[in-house]
Amino acid sequence: MLRDITLGQYYPIDSVMHRMDPRTKLFGTMVYIVSLFIADSLLVYVAAALFLVAAIRMSKVPVKFMVRGLKSIVVLLLISVSFNLFLTPGTPIFKIGFLQMTWEGVEFAGFMAVRLIFLVLGSTILTLTTTPNHLTDGLEKSLGFLGKVGVPVHEVSMMMSIALRFIPILIEETDKIMKAQMARGADFESGNLIQKAKAMVPLLVPLFISAFRRATDLAMAMEARCYRGGDGRTKMKPLRYETRDRVAYLVCFLYLTVMIGLKIIL
Amino acid sequence: MAIEIKKLNHIYGQDTIFQQYALKNVDLTVEDGEFIGLIGHTGSGKSTLTQHLNGLLKATDGDILYNGESIYREGFSMKTLRSKVGLVFQYPEHQLFEVDVFSDVCFGPKNLGLAQDEIEARAKEALELVGLDESFYKLSPFELSGGQKRRVAIAGVLAMKPEVLILDEPTAGLDPKGRDDILGLVAKLHEEQKMTIILVSHSMEDVAKYVSRLVVMNRGEKVFDGTPKEVFRHYKELEAMGLAAPQITYVVQALRARGIMISEDVTTVEEARDEILKLWRK
């Protein structure tokens, strides 16, 4: 049942991309997103496509699995494409009532669609190759400078990793309580809205109780190990840049330069 | 026969890289009035198997017959099945949600759509079976001790008047007294209510004393099926699976290795005592 949901969709294999430092990957993703927004001609998109294909190849994640992530944006894609098709002024192709399709619209919609797809694929590589915990680690380190202006970076990232850590546990718990109540004849599916809402009570009460119990247990366990926030806290596995990260940074800068260069020349 | 399982397979996350066989070609027949111990290491598929028996999980492949009728047949009422095959989950006290003990036990029979007086009669009967008197009825479930909470939760399933009762690790996390109480209760249900019982456990000591038949699961497959005596003879194989025979089996084997030939069929401390005394008197 609920077990089939995969959250945080990390794809557990081993590749250069998986081993890369999360900060590098965050930086790469950012560079890629920026480059997509400055792109406005075919050649630039081809360059972006090449970069993307190379990254997918390096991640070793099956393309089939990546494309699955696109399903969620199909509706968004259709809406934005059709708006651009019909609402861009220019040379008309045909006209139905007040709707007219223009050549400029087709071009713009095409780029728009490609941009969106590239955007989603690019950021999926990050989440597919980085465990949620690694990701928050990377974010904490990269955003560390915000701590100087009083943002509690460590606390926020600790909250994030705890929340992420608890998602699968709570899903499992929900699944278990749901089954236990179903074994007592509870029915979560049929009935009108009010009946369905009422049917949630036997699920939600135990779930909340267990979430609170886990929270106090966790707080106790953290205090027992002398946790007192981020100051002076060291890590068992500190993030450290390797050669592959330096190479990746170099590639990213090169890519960005090429993209900006292409934009200026064309 | 109450339940017949035929070539049951269950795969979690089919067609993904997370794919995992939870059950592999399991065949099992449960007769009416049997007291079966279902044993296996964590992840051996025993919990998965029990959840198939009342239709909470659907098999990837294979069939389950309840009183000769396939539960996967179109139009088969899962609701009726769930009232006939009661399943008590691990840590069942985590499912309590009502304001007081009595209303929580009423939840099951209420879902069966019974009349109010029948619901209350059943709840009273169930609470009596688990040994909780009227002074408990109006208490919040959260005021009770661990063992009491568990008994309330078991009463919640008993109030549905199941013919088959499956208990998943009913003694987990209880102190020795709580454990003996619960196991005694289960044995009583079997004897007095003539219920068919399937007791899931990984503790051989718990099970050896009560059950008449043992089924051992390992990596989703049924490996042994027989009386405790028969199964414990394979104590070396059991060890390889991360299980262990009752401690007394080891004592008996050690004695035999030293030439004191007491019977191999001893499974409880009491039997061992009698056997040793018998040899002593000779």
Side-chain angles (χ1 to χ4, degrees):
Chain A
M1 255 189 308
L2 283 168
R3 207 181 280 240
D4 297 331
I5 301 174
T6 46
L7 265 153
Q9 45 164 237
Y10 175 66
Y11 195 87
I13 47 167
D14 186 40
S15 75
V16 190
M17 204 62 133
H18 283 73
R19 282 192 303 261
M20 222 179 259
D21 191 289
R23 288 170 293 174
T24 319
K25 284 186 269 187
L26 276 166
F27 178 76
T29 312
M30 236 171 59
V31 163
Y32 188 67
I33 291 171
V34 168
S35 79
L36 281 179
F37 280 99
I38 59 168
D40 57 358
S41 64
L42 195 61
L43 199 58
V44 185
Y45 275 108
V46 170
L50 285 177
F51 187 74
L52 186 67
V53 168
I56 292 176
R57 269 294 170 78
M58 265 168 62
S59 75
K60 285 189 188 161
V61 178
V63 180
K64 202 177 76 184
F65 206 83
M66 298 220 127
V67 176
R68 218 178 278 175
L70 286 175
K71 271 187 202 153
S72 53
I73 60 150
V74 165
V75 180
L76 182 72
L77 205 62
L78 280 178
I79 293 174
S80 65
V81 163
S82 47
F83 265 93
N84 279 308
L85 268 182
F86 292 108
L87 298 175
T88 316
T91 334
I93 305 172
F94 62 83
K95 207 172 175 175
I96 314 164
F98 67 97
L99 286 173
Q100 66 166 358
M101 203 190 248
T102 60
W103 285 112
E104 283 80 358
V106 173
E107 191 189 331
F108 202 71
F111 279 143
M112 186 73 172
V114 171
R115 184 182 284 178
L116 261 174
I117 291 171
F118 280 12
L119 199 71
V120 171
L121 284 181
S123 38
T124 343
I125 297 177
L126 177 69
T127 52
L128 282 171
T129 60
T130 322
T131 60
N133 275 333
H134 235 119
L135 203 60
T136 41
D137 262 11
L139 273 174
E140 182 184 352
K141 202 84 191 261
S142 334
L143 298 178
F145 64 92
L146 285 176
K148 298 225 163 55
V149 292
V151 181
V153 180
H154 171 79
E155 280 71 17
V156 171
S157 81
M158 178 57 93
M159 278 195 261
M160 244 171 88
S161 28
I162 290 174
L164 285 169
R165 175 71 192 80
F166 271 73
I167 288 171
I169 292 180
L170 286 182
I171 287 181
E172 202 175 301
E173 191 93 11
T174 313
D175 190 47
K176 225 168 64 188
I177 296 169
M178 225 164 141
K179 278 182 181 160
Q181 305 298 26
M182 275 160 79
R184 292 208 280 164
D187 185 352
F188 295 105
E189 271 126 35
S190 52
N192 59 33
L193 202 62
I194 297 168
Q195 282 167 327
K196 270 188 191 164
K198 265 190 185 160
M200 293 310 272
V201 174
L203 172 63
L204 289 180
V205 173
L207 190 62
F208 269 97
I209 292 168
S210 103
F212 282 127
R213 191 183 51 233
R214 280 181 197 283
T216 43
D217 284 356
L218 180 70
M220 189 84 86
M222 284 168 82
E223 269 184 357
R225 283 180 274 171
C226 303
Y227 177 80
R228 54 188 171 76
D231 289 338
R233 190 171 144 84
T234 54
K235 284 210 153 54
M236 190 165 98
K237 292 177 189 162
L239 294 176
R240 198 171 292 137
Y241 284 125
E242 305 279 340
T243 317
R244 55 172 169 269
D245 297 301
R246 292 187 197 103
V247 173
Y249 270 108
L250 197 69
V251 170
C252 284
F253 276 119
L254 267 176
Y255 167 73
L256 198 61
T257 324
V258 168
M259 292 296 271
I260 294 171
L262 280 174
K263 189 178 160 73
I264 293 167
I265 296 166
L266 296 170
Chain B
M1 74 218 115
I3 301 172
E4 218 178 322
I5 301 169
K6 286 178 175 171
K7 295 242 167 293
L8 199 68
N9 281 289
H10 191 90
I11 304 171
Y12 282 120
Q14 200 170 11
D15 298 328
T16 67
I17 44 159
F18 308 103
Q19 173 167 326
Q20 204 182 357
Y21 255 100
L23 292 175
K24 253 188 224 166
N25 278 330
V26 177
D27 282 304
L28 186 67
T29 306
V30 180
E31 303 288 345
D32 278 322
E34 268 193 305
F35 194 157
I36 297 182
L38 183 58
I39 294 211
H41 199 253
T42 317
S44 60
K46 52 193 192 324
S47 294
T48 309
L49 179 62
T50 56
Q51 288 175 29
H52 278 87
L53 296 181
N54 68 352
L56 285 173
L57 286 177
K58 187 163 184 335
T60 313
D61 196 40
D63 202 4
I64 298 174
L65 307 183
Y66 181 72
N67 287 335
E69 206 181 348
S70 167
I71 67 166
Y72 298 131
R73 185 179 60 81
E74 198 140 324
F76 187 89
S77 163
M78 281 294 169
K79 211 158 192 176
T80 322
L81 177 71
R82 282 176 198 157
S83 71
K84 295 292 175 208
V85 181
L87 176 56
V88 179
F89 273 79
Q90 207 169 359
Y91 297 105
E93 59 273 23
H94 292 177
Q95 75 195 27
L96 303 175
F97 67 99
E98 277 285 7
V99 284
D100 61 51
V101 167
F102 193 72
S103 358
D104 205 284
V105 177
C106 286
F107 181 67
K110 211 187 273 170
N111 284 327
L112 295 180
L114 301 170
Q116 189 59 32
D117 50 345
E118 170 73 7
I119 293 175
E120 282 175 18
R122 280 187 175 202
K124 271 182 194 150
E125 198 185 335
L127 281 164
E128 204 185 302
L129 275 175
V130 299
L132 294 174
D133 60 43
E134 282 191 35
S135 62
F136 287 95
Y137 287 8
K138 290 297 155 207
L139 293 180
S140 159
F142 304 104
E143 291 173 279
L144 306 177
S145 75
Q148 287 166 340
K149 271 192 221 170
R150 191 158 299 182
R151 276 191 273 168
V152 172
I154 293 176
V157 174
L158 289 177
M160 318 235 325
K161 293 212 170 168
E163 290 166 1
V164 180
L165 185 65
I166 307 168
L167 301 107
D168 195 349
E169 303 266 2
T171 59
L174 290 184
D175 55 28
K177 164 121 192 356
R179 186 190 64 203
D180 291 345
D181 285 353
I182 295 284
L183 288 175
L185 163 68
V186 174
K188 193 178 83 180
L189 289 171
H190 177 245
E191 272 159 36
E192 291 173 11
Q193 307 291 316
K194 304 285 171 238
M195 267 183 211
T196 310
I197 308 251
I198 301 176
L199 185 65
V200 179
S201 178
H202 61 241
S203 158
M204 292 287 185
E205 318 276 335
D206 278 6
V207 170
K209 214 157 126 193
Y210 298 99
V211 305
S212 52
R213 182 175 161 203
L214 261 184
V215 175
V216 181
M217 303 273 301
N218 191 36
R219 292 167 194 267
E221 284 175 284
K222 186 178 90 171
V223 273
F224 298 120
D225 183 354
T227 62
K229 292 185 204 323
E230 287 163 3
V231 172
F232 292 148
R233 267 187 218 135
H234 301 279
Y235 71 102
K236 288 224 168 84
E237 284 111 305
L238 288 174
E239 250 172 55
M241 288 173 220
L243 296 165
Q247 282 171 352
I248 198 68
T249 308
Y250 294 95
V251 175
V252 169
Q253 294 296 342
L255 286 173
R256 286 174 65 88
R258 292 185 182 192
I260 304 165
M261 297 315 264
I262 68 172
S263 162
E264 257 191 312
D265 290 341
V266 167
T267 53
T268 63
V269 179
E270 287 75 20
E271 284 171 20
R273 177 196 62 200
D274 296 344
E275 281 289 318
I276 291 169
L277 284 177
K278 224 192 300 171
L279 277 179
W280 187 267
R281 293 202 180 101
K282 260 186 205 163

